[in-house]
Amino acid sequence: MAKVALCACPDYNPDNVASAVDRAVTLCGGMERFVRPGQRVLLKPNMLSAAPLERRVTTDPAVVRAVGKLVLKAGGRIIIGDSPAIDKVSRISRVNGIKEVAVELGADLIEFCRPTLVKTPRGSIYHALELEETVLNADVVINLPKLKTHCMMLLTMGVKNLFGAVVGPRKSQWHMHAGTDRIMFADLLLDICRTLKPALTILDGVWGMQGRGPNNGTPCHLGFLAASRDPLAMDLAIAPLLGVHPASFPLYNAAVRRGLARSDGSGTQMVGDDPSQIFPKDFQLPVLESVMPMPGFLSGLIRRHLTSRPVQDPDLCRDCGKCAAVCPPESLRFVAAHRAVIDHLTCIRCYCCQEVCPADAIHFKTGALVGIVERLRAVMPY
């Protein structure tokens, strides 16, 4: 039975975070269970963009520091790394304080840039993946996600955070290949997770993000840290506490279909603090497009003309060009200052442009199909 430790943590005061991290890790068996003296330990925080800490886009440095100190105490040698979508690790780490933590811990701070082809475990959908060599060669991987909503996958926590092991431009390639189907993309995330096999996942839920995450949502105080040896079990245990119906969570649907999780939610033991005393009742989830089964020759037509499509708000645009740079099918281009043109015939609705926009200048115009489904949802139970 997978164990998920839940520990209250009111703020990022170093003492409070250190106490909560230590308790959560102890409930999972203690850091000595995961790290032996001399081992190379990779800490993988969420470093999506160079956003100020108060926006709650990235894993807080206080969490990285507390985990790193436990690793050092156990005798491990620390590497901190990620592969952000657009910004560089060097810039992000200066803005969010992780560079300072790396210096304090004596850790190497790296940007993933060495993709290596690796075979995936038996039962995977994808038989081989290109993932960061440093992660594959680490003796121990400790996964440090930030709890946020995600406009494509509903939530990003332990499993989704490991997508950062896909190096730079290859993220866009995967969005082209799998990003048009949520279950297909969830299968990719599950295969990455099963290949990397993080020894421990510690979720930063002290402050999270709700609404239009993972980059432009609203900060939300949740007041907890969670830890588990099994990131999938942790994600599926935390999601219902945020008001997520399992059927609406792509990761759940993919995991149950593949026999990696039980449809009744059993098989997970939650220990530590009482969830009812922690989780808010009004956590704001993003609205996802509803996709119904249909013949292949119709699916593209439906997606292009009836589902929600990205639109730009020129008044908010900063002309940074990140949306155009990240667009997998190159459907977005700038024709004038603050003015982008989006080719909705080639757009794959992968949400990459919205995800990386630092000004929240990309929105989605609800399509006719989504509007109909949402109206039905309003009057029908699950």
Side-chain angles (χ1 to χ4, degrees), residues 63-361:
V63 176
V64 180
R65 177 187 292 109
V67 175
K69 286 185 176 180
L70 289 182
V71 170
L72 292 177
K73 186 177 179 181
R77 295 181 291 133
I78 302 173
I79 305 166
I80 302 172
D82 197 5
S83 176
I86 291 291
D87 287 312
K88 296 292 185 182
V89 163
S90 56
R91 179 168 181 262
I92 295 171
S93 62
R94 287 196 304 270
V95 172
N96 67 14
I98 287 181
K99 181 178 181 179
E100 181 180 338
V101 169
V103 172
E104 180 182 341
L105 297 173
D108 293 329
L109 180 62
I110 66 170
E111 179 153 353
F112 298 158
C113 59
R114 295 186 295 178
T116 301
L117 190 66
V118 59
K119 290 185 177 180
T120 55
R122 179 176 297 180
S124 298
I125 302 298
Y126 300 92
H127 300 302
L129 295 170
E130 279 191 330
L131 300 174
E132 167 61 29
E133 183 180 74
T134 309
V135 186
L136 296 170
N137 291 340
D139 297 311
V140 180
V141 175
I142 298 181
N143 187 22
L144 302 178
K146 183 75 165 179
L147 192 159
K148 298 185 290 181
T149 48
H150 195 282
C151 280
M152 179 185 176
M153 300 304 293
L154 192 69
L155 292 170
T156 170
M157 293 186 284
V159 175
K160 176 65 172 67
N161 191 53
L162 295 171
F163 188 56
V166 175
V167 176
R170 285 167 173 79
K171 288 185 174 67
S172 294
Q173 295 168 12
W174 273 116
H175 274 288
M176 275 291 292
H177 178 68
T180 57
D181 184 302
R182 289 191 180 86
I183 300 302
M184 189 183 297
F185 197 75
D187 278 328
L188 170 65
L189 298 178
L190 288 169
D191 284 353
I192 292 172
C193 184
R194 295 174 72 244
T195 301
L196 297 181
K197 299 176 183 176
L200 184 63
T201 295
I202 302 172
L203 177 66
D204 175 6
V206 180
W207 276 84
M209 180 180 289
Q210 61 183 348
R212 289 165 40 81
N215 196 48
N216 293 302
T218 305
C220 175
H221 182 259
L222 298 168
F224 79 93
L225 295 169
S228 180
R229 298 177 64 187
D230 185 340
L232 175 60
M234 185 185 73
D235 289 2
L236 298 186
I238 296 296
L241 302 176
L242 297 168
V244 173
H245 190 284
S248 68
F249 194 15
L251 189 66
Y252 166 87
N253 292 320
V256 169
R257 179 176 53 81
R258 294 173 58 174
L260 301 176
R262 300 177 184 176
S263 59
D264 61 1
S266 62
T268 301
Q269 177 189 12
M270 187 163 281
V271 298
D273 292 325
D274 181 0
S276 66
Q277 302 300 312
I278 296 175
F279 286 84
K281 306 300 182 185
D282 56 351
F283 186 77
Q284 298 174 15
L285 295 165
V287 176
L288 302 186
E289 293 179 9
S290 301
V291 180
M292 61 183 66
M294 63 191 71
F297 71 91
L298 285 178
S299 61
L301 180 68
I302 294 294
R303 184 183 301 114
R304 290 168 184 165
H305 296 287
L306 294 181
T307 58
S308 302
R309 60 184 185 177
V311 294
Q312 183 220 23
D313 185 341
D315 293 334
L316 295 177
C317 180
R318 300 177 186 171
D319 281 336
C320 67
K322 292 180 179 180
C323 55
V326 79
C327 180
E330 300 182 353
S331 300
L332 189 154
R333 61 187 177 88
F334 279 82
V335 296
H338 309 293
R339 179 69 65 178
V341 171
I342 302 172
D343 183 350
H344 294 111
L345 291 178
T346 59
C347 173
I348 62 173
R349 276 60 166 176
C350 67
Y351 299 88
C352 287
C353 55
Q354 186 271 343
E355 180 174 327
V356 303
C357 178
D360 198 17

Side-chain angles (χ1 to χ4, degrees), residues 288-292 367-378:
L288 302 186
E289 293 179 9
S290 301
V291 180
M292 61 183 66
L369 180 62
V370 179
I372 293 170
V373 173
E374 291 305 318
R375 285 193 291 273
L376 287 175
R377 280 181 173 175

